[in-house]
Amino acid sequence: MISATLEQTMRDETSVESLRHELVNRYGAPTSAVRVVRAPYRICPLGAHIDHQLGPVCAMAIDQAVLTAYAPSASNEVRLSSLDYPGEVRFRLDDVPDRQPGDWGNFPRGAVRVLQKNHDLGTGICGVTAGRFSAGGLSSSAAVSVALLLALEDVNGLDVPREENILLGQGIENEYLGLHSGILDQSAILLSKQNHLTLIDCQSVQYRLIPSHPAMPPYSILLAFSGLTKALVGTDYNRRVAECTEAATILLNAVGRDIDPAVLRRVSADEHADNQKLLTGAPALRAAHFFSEVDRVTKGVEAWQQGDLEAFGHLMSDSGVSSINNYECGSPPLVDLYEILIKTEGVYGARFSGAGFRGCCVALVQRDAGPDVAEHVRREYAQRHPDLAHDAPAVLCHSDDGARIL
Ligand code: GLA
């Protein structure tokens, strides 16, 4: 029997080769000029919705990725197609169209716009991109964006540091797409390392790679999909960020500090405890989520360093409760999926993956129990939501390295 990692490597090699052929067939690119960039999807076991408040977050890249085959174009034209979406995105570098709602072409257009602010882009690109998971929860949009940034930089001979690429990726979301997100996704995709937990301080953009403890039991990552899909800009994501801003403004005023930027990270846990009576309604709940989640990240890092997956998993599941009760995200099917997961034997812990408005849940599971857990969860969910079951697989995967040109 071949190992899961080897099987994944073989699948990747097949995809890389077929993407190369697609690029040559669709755009007539010379074979020798074709390169492939791999930008993994990410999970965030702890640190939900606190990146935009500049809190600390934990992440990992997984061994499932967006792949983009590309080559320089002979002009300043960008021509891209996708194996997952119809049509072609085509524009000139000196005439980048504005955002068009719901169009995947926003990612390449956004990538060019943000890069052009500080870099000269003279060479266009042709490319074909493919990714298995576009349903949400795994930061597929950030993975596509990072892949395109790296490809554009490569054909233009630009050597852009990873920290800058993180902010460029965030710029695509914030400035071009209108999503007020933090740096979690881009950091996880660019900085992660196989078998390590990536701890990112979203205030300083500093990070630490924390290796798995030698005594840590073998685990797998389970992605349990809900079958729900919807773009984040159309969710309550931005409203939640605004509610956090409101809470931060009230607390910063109370402690006599300026309100620029009005983010919860600039308030200490003690200051929050002393002044929380000033908060009511949604801002009170969002602040309660922020401060408890920061605490879970700190405790989670300690548990990880000790190889204590039971404790780490409990913190994940507690984070799930806070996402439901305090952050008030999670549609009913996603909450059902979460509840199925935490009741299943062999699961260390689970929570919504990503923003948690749609997409999937992520769980850490005992490696040996993984296939049974996946099958059980898929079956239980199908019973509760037969209408969504056809699009709701449960997929086992593992941690992996961050984005790279192959
Ligand atoms: C989305 C956003 C991230 C982060 C997560 C929730 O993935 O893009 O910036 O806020 O949701 O943790």
Side-chain angles (χ1 to χ4, degrees), residues 327-356:
Y327 210 75
E328 295 182 290
C329 53
S331 42
L334 212 53
V335 176
D336 283 345
L337 194 48
Y338 163 78
E339 281 170 358
I340 293 169
L341 279 162
I342 56 168
K343 283 187 200 132
T344 303
E345 212 172 305
V347 172
Y348 289 115
R351 57 174 307 272
F352 303 150
S353 188

Side-chain angles (χ1 to χ4, degrees), residues 366-395:
Q366 292 166 9
R367 175 84 47 103
D368 289 349
D372 288 345
V373 171
E375 182 49 26
H376 172 81
V377 169
R378 203 193 49 70
R379 233 182 308 116
E380 288 272 308
Y381 185 71
Q383 264 173 22
R384 289 204 208 174
H385 294 280
D387 48 324
L388 297 169
H390 64 284
D391 218 5
V395 179

Side-chain angles (χ1 to χ4, degrees), residues 42 44 46-52 57 137-139 141-142 170 173-174 179-186 232 237 241 289 293 327 351-358:
R42 67 93 191 91
C44 168
L46 288 169
H49 285 288
I50 60 172
D51 62 337
H52 48 72
V57 296
L138 298 171
S139 82
S141 50
Q170 185 193 24
E173 307 271 352
N174 292 178
L179 186 73
H180 303 158
S181 50
I183 59 165
L184 160 69
D185 300 345
Q186 300 77 15
L232 270 192
Y237 188 96
V241 177
H289 173 73
E293 191 71 357
Y327 210 75
R351 57 174 307 272
F352 303 150
S353 188
F357 291 105
R358 50 164 192 167

Side-chain angles (χ1 to χ4, degrees), residues 54-116:
L54 308 187
V57 296
C58 294
M60 279 184 207
I62 58 170
D63 55 358
Q64 300 281 339
V66 168
L67 293 168
T68 302
Y70 63 93
S73 62
S75 64
N76 72 350
E77 202 174 37
V78 173
R79 291 184 70 180
L80 289 166
S81 49
S82 159
L83 297 192
D84 312 299
Y85 301 103
E88 186 191 45
V89 179
R90 191 170 183 172
F91 61 93
R92 288 202 329 262
L93 291 174
D94 57 0
D95 185 17
V96 184
D98 286 337
R99 180 169 79 93
Q100 289 155 33
D103 179 3
W104 79 274
N106 288 328
F107 300 115
R109 291 191 288 264
V112 169
R113 281 267 182 100
V114 295
L115 258 177
Q116 277 177 331

